[in-house]
Amino acid sequence: MNMKKMILAFLLIYSLQLFAQKGTIKIIHHGTKTNLRGLSICKDAIWVSGSKGKIAKSMDGGKSWQWHLVKGFERADLRDIQAFDKNTAIVMAIDSPAYILKTTDGGKNWKTVYQNNTSGMFLDAMDFSNHRNGIVVGDPIHGKIFLATTKNEGETWKFINPNISANIQKGEAFFAASGSNIVLLKTNNFHLISGGIKSRYFTKNKVCILPMMQGKETTGANAIAVYKNNIAITGGDFMEPNRNDSCFCFSNNNGNNWQRPTIAPNGYRSDVIFINKNTLICCGLTGVDISKDGGNTWENISHQSFNTCRYSKKLNAVFFIGQNGVIGKLLL
């Protein structure tokens, strides 16, 4: 009987520990001297990238991490990363000259697949619709949006003219806060958002002003997420991170109409993701929020600062990254 009681007590404690972990963000790594902004989850690995040329990879759901310093790019700010598998990934080094690098050996070695020496060049984000087709956006050059695409898994990149009728305004740009301001669709159309003096939404055939705070170079949209015809956009003012008067908007009809939430996220947010049609999560300097009604009302679940979040369907978990090499995990 005593042994049975001990076993039951152990199972009860274990179950309570599991319950406590679910719905709570657990910090699974911190202390590395890098500001992490790039996060990508593929079928067999989680990759992160950040300042000072740092890359890390986990192949066990975030329990352990392999860290790499990209040779020749020790001072580079690696703002976005796209992972294809545990061996293959593409990373973006943002400023002049701007580079896109690729590894095929798990991060040990990287080759340059794109370089741009144009004065003022600053890459902001990239996205892939599948393993082969990708797009990268950079800050405007001479008032024109910079876009380049790849059709061969990032081996080569080609500048494209998006034929968008509206020029970028002075003081309008694309924030490189989380690698999330552009989404590439399987149709090769894209969703793109700007911030600053103006905050706008762009596709190949549509341009509109967003109902987001704007007017200063620190304001506007930072991240966009798309789930079928549902679009979520988050941002704010990173110099006033507690302001939440117009830091989020959403559309349920593919960007034809936009709404502000009834209850907004708890301040500036640099990233947003869909878990499903109704459930969204966003993160930023002042914490993490969740919506369970498609973005109309938000609840704060953490005051921990993060830059970027991504969802793993396989692990049924959301991963977060931020300053000082912090990595968090939320079990759903």
Side-chain angles (χ1 to χ4, degrees):
M1 289 294 294
N2 289 338
M3 181 60 71
K4 288 182 179 179
K5 287 181 179 178
M6 289 175 63
I7 292 172
L8 288 172
F10 172 79
L11 291 174
L12 177 61
I13 292 170
Y14 181 71
S15 298
L16 289 172
Q17 287 177 339
L18 286 179
F19 179 78
Q21 290 176 358
K22 191 172 183 179
T24 302
I25 298 174
K26 180 182 179 181
I27 302 302
I28 56 177
H29 181 85
H30 68 92
T32 302
K33 292 183 178 180
T34 181
N35 187 12
L36 296 174
R37 293 187 184 274
L39 172 58
S40 184
I41 302 174
C42 55
K43 61 182 180 181
D44 53 5
I46 305 165
W47 293 72
V48 300
S49 65
S51 59
K52 300 180 180 179
K54 297 287 179 62
I55 300 279
K57 179 181 64 174
S58 175
M59 294 183 289
D60 55 11
K63 295 177 183 178
S64 62
W65 295 86
Q66 302 171 6
W67 286 88
H68 299 281
L69 184 62
V70 181
K71 295 178 181 178
F73 292 85
E74 292 84 358
R75 296 184 179 181
D77 199 349
L78 307 176
R79 290 283 180 104
D80 200 5
I81 191 166
Q82 174 69 41
F84 300 124
D85 54 49
K86 64 182 180 180
N87 294 315
T88 311
I90 292 174
V91 73
M92 183 186 77
I94 54 174
D95 55 358
S96 307
Y99 291 92
I100 299 175
L101 312 171
K102 184 175 182 178
T103 182
T104 55
D105 61 4
K108 297 176 183 177
N109 297 285
W110 297 79
K111 67 176 182 178
T112 298
V113 292
Y114 180 80
Q115 179 177 346
N116 193 315
N117 297 318
T118 303
S119 177
M121 175 57 61
F122 191 104
L123 298 180
D124 298 290
M126 60 182 174
D127 191 44
F128 279 72
S129 59
N130 52 42
H131 275 206
R132 298 194 63 81
N133 296 306
I135 192 167
V136 63
V137 60
D139 276 353
I141 301 294
H142 306 303
K144 297 290 185 180
I145 298 173
F146 175 84
L147 291 172
T149 59
T150 180
K151 296 182 179 180
N152 55 10
E153 206 174 81
E155 286 292 327
T156 59
W157 295 80
K158 182 180 180 182
F159 170 77
I160 63 167
N161 185 346
N163 293 320
I164 293 174
S165 58
N167 283 348
I168 296 295
Q169 304 296 306
K170 185 178 180 180
E172 180 184 13
F174 305 104
F175 289 118
S178 60
S180 307
N181 60 28
I182 191 166
V183 173
L184 181 65
L185 305 177
K186 291 181 179 179
T187 60
N188 287 325
N189 200 352
F190 56 82
H191 299 274
L192 173 64
I193 51 170
S194 67
I197 300 300
K198 278 192 175 182
S199 187
R200 294 191 284 179
Y201 165 76
F202 302 87
T203 68
K204 286 183 177 180
N205 51 21
K206 188 185 306 180
V207 181
C208 69
I209 292 283
L210 289 168
M212 303 278 293
M213 69 173 77
Q214 49 198 284
K216 299 192 300 183
E217 292 187 358
T218 58
T219 58
N222 277 239
I224 180 170
V226 179
Y227 187 93
K228 298 182 179 178
N229 288 328
N230 301 291
I231 304 172
I233 296 175
T234 193
D237 186 345
F238 60 81
M239 292 301 292
E240 295 184 68
N242 291 311
R243 277 189 63 188
N244 74 337
D245 49 295
S246 50
C247 65
F248 181 83
C249 66
F250 65 101
S251 171
N252 295 325
N253 57 7
N254 204 33
N256 291 315
N257 302 100
W258 296 93
Q259 305 175 56
R260 288 179 180 170
T262 303
I263 300 175
N266 199 34
Y268 162 81
R269 295 293 179 256
S270 53
D271 205 2
V272 61
I273 55 172
F274 278 96
I275 306 302
N276 53 50
K277 180 181 178 180
N278 295 316
T279 307
L280 298 90
I281 288 177
C282 64
C283 68
L285 294 175
T286 61
V288 178
D289 304 278
I290 187 168
S291 172
K292 298 180 180 179
D293 58 5
N296 186 46
T297 61
W298 290 83
E299 176 188 0
N300 182 255
I301 59 173
S302 172
H303 295 295
Q304 173 73 44
S305 174
F306 295 107
N307 295 322
T308 310
C309 52
R310 295 288 183 269
Y311 171 59
S312 169
K313 186 176 181 180
K314 177 181 178 181
L315 300 172
N316 196 31
V318 178
F319 290 85
F320 303 84
I321 56 171
Q323 298 181 26
N324 200 32
V326 68
I327 304 173
K329 182 179 181 179
L330 171 67
L331 294 176
L332 298 174

